[in-house]
Amino acid sequence: MEYLIEGAPVFVMDDQGTVAEAMVVSDTRVVANGDLKTLRQRYPLARRLAIGGAAVVPAFNDCHAHLLRLGQDMTRADLRYCRSADDIQEALWANDLPRTDGWLIGVNYDQNILAGQRHIGRDTLDGIGRGRPVYLFHLSRHEGLANSKALELAGIHAGTPDPPEGRIDRDATGRLTGRLLEMAVSLVEKVLPAPTDRQLDNAIRCSLEHQARRGILAATDATSGKWFGIQREWAAYSRVLAQSPKVKVTLMPEVDVCREMGWLDRDQVQLPDAPSCLRLGPMKIIADGALTNRTAALSKPYTDGGTGSLVYPAEELKALILRAHRGGWRCAVHAIGDITIDICLQAFATAQATLPHRRPRHRLEHCMVVDDRINRLMAQLGVIPCSQPEFIFQLGHAYRSCLDGRADRLMPYRAWIEAGLTLAFSSDQPISTGDPILGWRAAVTRQTRDGDIIGAEETLTPLEALRAYTVGSSIASGDPEIGSLTPGKEARFVVLSHLPNAIADHAMHVVTTSAELMPPSSIEHKSHRV
């Protein structure tokens, strides 16, 4: 079936900055764009689709999200705006929330918006639970808060040693506070009730429908296989996408998963055949923590002390990156602090010198605390910073709290563009709301939820920011099939209510998408033996 898309300018997002009057799509591929009269003459049998909006742009590509976890979170209490223990208790005990085996589970807990910016205590959480196990996922996902019952079920007691790359928090007397940092979260999370296959499928389905409604028609699950096994998750995504292929999905296997599967050297990667809209992407390595809980590794202390920490010792991290590079993997390394970023860049440089790849395109996920030297080195190495601009809006208050004036130098988008870097945008949802319009706007305005401006000199133009959320994120995903609306690409697009230069207008929204206008008629399957 051929379609002639008309009625609104088409922002192709090619290198020439083409804005076409119309576009022709055949079998879900762009075949032409140009002036309307010419296309009507060349494709007289094409079905004409008059767009009821102001502009057609490539669909958003969220190249770093946690899709499965988001789907699970949709059934849990959202604590994102809870400002007191009473608010948390009310959310956890809401009558319409499902309770799994007696657990009360909350997500997006943020001590930065509580009174005094202090965590609630374990005793308070015990009172909230009324004898039930309670577990709160921190907004950063780099820590969690458990009550006494949850700690008991996880086998954590005063004498339990810290796990590798993690910490069980204790007060000055040695008593457990309930806080679990970095890899210590797995001690409780592994005893949470495991989902059935049906629940996994439903979580993925809900998550992907959520993306599609927002104009996100390509997305990457950035820590695949860690919780339920890569084969089980691959099978669940395959089942869901076979029924509804609206969103193209890339799974990013976590490094320990690759190690367990014998994939680290890339000699035995095999996965069952799957819909063509499911693919395997880079390898994920978590190298440090987060700014919001002061665990990202910094060269200068946080305003309230401490410099964070590395997940791996420096030499071990370098060796891991080198091994993955030799195995043919693109690395996507979670690196927020400047200490961590610097170590990763040293490793990328050594890896490329040892075994040159024409376009290695290793990624730094989040990549927040940088300086001019780091920016130049990233450009020299072709490293892609994968950033989440919505963090500026949602978490700007926390960045001011932990860094003060240094917050203005976080995620320097203008400096990155001027250094010649490929900039890729994403959301890290469910840590953020995942609304690409909010993220796009934040990259242009640098405004926080409280009206503060974080790094006024680092703003982007609307089209620069849109390019990072489409072309840039597709380059980061390693998927040449999407990102722009040039002929030959997949016809994944959204219709906007306003022209792109009106992104600061809070009425801007997605009117519809190609997934609604042109539903796929057939689903291709392909082999995934690498």
Side-chain angles (χ1 to χ4, degrees):
M1 171 74 74
E2 286 184 345
Y3 296 89
L4 176 60
I5 312 299
E6 59 180 81
V10 178
F11 288 76
V12 177
M13 299 305 291
D14 58 7
D15 292 339
Q16 292 73 42
T18 302
V19 180
E21 273 192 300
M23 175 172 65
V24 176
V25 173
S26 178
D27 295 327
T28 70
R29 295 271 174 178
V30 178
V31 295
N33 47 59
D35 69 272
L36 181 57
K37 182 178 179 180
T38 299
L39 293 181
R40 282 180 177 175
Q41 292 173 345
R42 287 174 56 191
Y43 301 93
L45 300 180
R47 178 182 175 184
R48 291 166 61 180
L49 290 179
I51 297 301
V56 175
V57 301
F60 299 106
N61 179 357
D62 193 340
C63 66
H64 182 123
H66 300 278
L67 304 172
L68 178 51
R69 301 305 291 271
L70 172 64
Q72 290 183 293
D73 283 2
M74 289 178 171
T75 67
R76 294 166 172 166
D78 189 351
L79 313 179
R80 189 182 303 273
Y81 301 112
C82 290
R83 295 183 176 272
S84 68
D86 288 343
D87 288 348
I88 291 172
Q89 177 171 299
E90 181 179 353
L92 289 172
W93 283 96
N95 290 332
D96 60 340
L97 289 172
R99 302 187 180 101
T100 308
D101 292 352
W103 284 77
L104 294 174
I105 301 173
V107 297
N108 301 321
Y109 163 71
D110 181 8
Q111 86 283 1
N112 292 291
I113 61 174
L114 300 180
Q117 297 183 339
R118 297 177 63 183
H119 288 280
I120 61 175
R122 176 178 142 201
D123 293 337
T124 300
L125 207 56
D126 287 345
I128 288 173
R130 306 171 197 169
R132 293 186 180 213
V134 180
Y135 186 68
L136 309 184
F137 288 86
H138 191 268
L139 183 66
S140 68
R141 292 299 173 121
H142 284 263
E143 71 171 281
L145 188 64
N147 74 344
S148 298
K149 186 65 174 178
L151 293 171
E152 176 189 333
L153 291 173
I156 302 173
H157 50 79
T160 303
D162 289 342
E165 293 90 43
R167 178 164 66 88
I168 301 170
D169 192 52
R170 296 168 170 84
D171 65 19
T173 69
R175 184 173 184 266
L176 301 178
T177 67
R179 287 183 67 200
L180 304 168
L181 288 90
E182 300 303 333
M183 296 300 108
V185 300
S186 64
L187 299 176
V188 168
E189 292 179 19
K190 71 182 180 182
V191 301
L192 294 177
T196 64
D197 283 352
R198 183 176 180 180
Q199 289 170 327
L200 274 184
D201 290 4
N202 186 57
I204 291 169
R205 186 177 299 107
C206 289
S207 179
L208 296 186
E209 288 292 339
H210 185 67
Q211 310 314 313
R213 286 193 297 271
R214 291 177 159 189
I216 299 170
L217 300 186
T220 297
D221 196 321
T223 314
S224 296
K226 180 177 181 179
W227 303 110
F228 309 116
I230 188 65
Q231 291 174 314
R232 190 178 180 212
E233 292 179 21
W234 180 269
Y237 275 103
S238 294
R239 290 191 296 268
V240 173
L241 291 171
Q243 297 174 353
S244 179
K246 292 181 180 179
V247 181
K248 191 172 192 179
V249 175
T250 299
L251 299 189
M252 187 187 291
E254 200 262 345
V255 62
D256 287 339
V257 173
C258 292
R259 201 194 315 265
E260 292 165 7
M261 296 293 294
W263 292 353
L264 202 52
D265 299 306
R266 196 97 184 199
D267 55 355
Q268 299 180 39
V269 177
Q270 287 192 3
L271 287 166
D273 291 357
S276 58
C277 53
L278 179 62
R279 56 194 296 276
L280 198 66
M283 179 191 298
K284 174 72 174 293
I285 302 172
I286 298 177
D288 70 355
L291 293 175
T292 51
N293 65 353
R294 283 58 166 175
T295 56
L298 304 183
S299 59
K300 297 179 181 178
Y302 292 93
T303 54
D304 45 6
T307 55
S309 60
L310 295 167
V311 171
Y312 302 93
E315 293 308 313
E316 184 178 344
L317 176 58
K318 291 177 184 178
L320 189 58
I321 290 172
L322 178 59
R323 182 176 174 187
H325 178 91
R326 283 174 171 165
W329 288 97
R330 295 175 61 224
C331 295
V333 187
H334 169 117
I336 289 179
D338 55 341
I339 291 289
T340 320
I341 293 168
D342 201 35
I343 292 169
C344 290
L345 293 177
Q346 292 175 40
F348 292 152
T350 300
Q352 187 66 359
T354 303
L355 183 63
H357 290 179
R358 189 169 65 90
R359 291 183 177 177
R361 285 179 174 165
H362 295 305
R363 300 168 38 161
L364 288 175
E365 310 302 298
H366 315 304
C367 193
M368 290 188 176
V369 183
V370 296
D371 55 28
D372 290 342
R373 180 189 62 81
I374 286 175
N375 294 340
R376 288 193 297 271
L377 188 52
M378 283 198 293
Q380 291 169 14
L381 295 170
V383 172
I384 301 174
C386 294
S387 186
Q388 297 73 40
E390 192 186 343
F391 283 0
I392 296 171
F393 177 75
Q394 297 285 2
L395 300 175
H397 63 284
Y399 300 149
R400 280 286 185 220
S401 173
C402 69
L403 295 176
D404 199 10
R406 284 180 289 162
D408 288 313
R409 298 192 290 277
L410 292 175
M411 300 172 279
Y413 299 149
R414 173 56 53 197
W416 284 345
I417 291 284
E418 291 179 354
L421 288 164
T422 295
L423 177 56
F425 281 166
S426 57
S427 73
D428 205 20
Q429 57 184 316
I431 294 173
S432 75
T433 68
D435 184 344
I437 299 293
L438 281 180
W440 180 8
R441 182 179 298 126
V444 172
T445 67
R446 305 283 297 199
Q447 189 171 49
T448 73
R449 190 174 58 203
D450 301 327
D452 188 14
I453 301 295
I454 300 286
E457 69 281 4
E458 299 298 341
T459 59
L460 297 179
T461 68
L463 286 180
E464 285 173 335
L466 178 59
R467 184 177 180 85
Y469 230 134
T470 54
V471 177
S473 53
S474 299
I475 292 172
S477 299
D479 190 349
E481 303 272 300
I482 56 178
S484 70
L485 296 174
T486 52
K489 301 270 191 179
E490 294 180 20
R492 295 178 181 268
F493 62 84
V494 301
V495 180
L496 298 174
S497 60
H498 296 60
L499 290 169
N501 60 8
I503 184 58
D505 188 330
H506 286 260
M508 168 82 86
H509 65 277
V510 171
V511 176
T512 189
T513 72
S514 54
E516 299 301 324
L517 292 169
M518 305 178 304
S521 56
S522 63
I523 300 169
E524 176 190 355
H525 282 65
K526 65 178 182 179
S527 171
H528 283 270
R529 291 175 176 82
V530 181

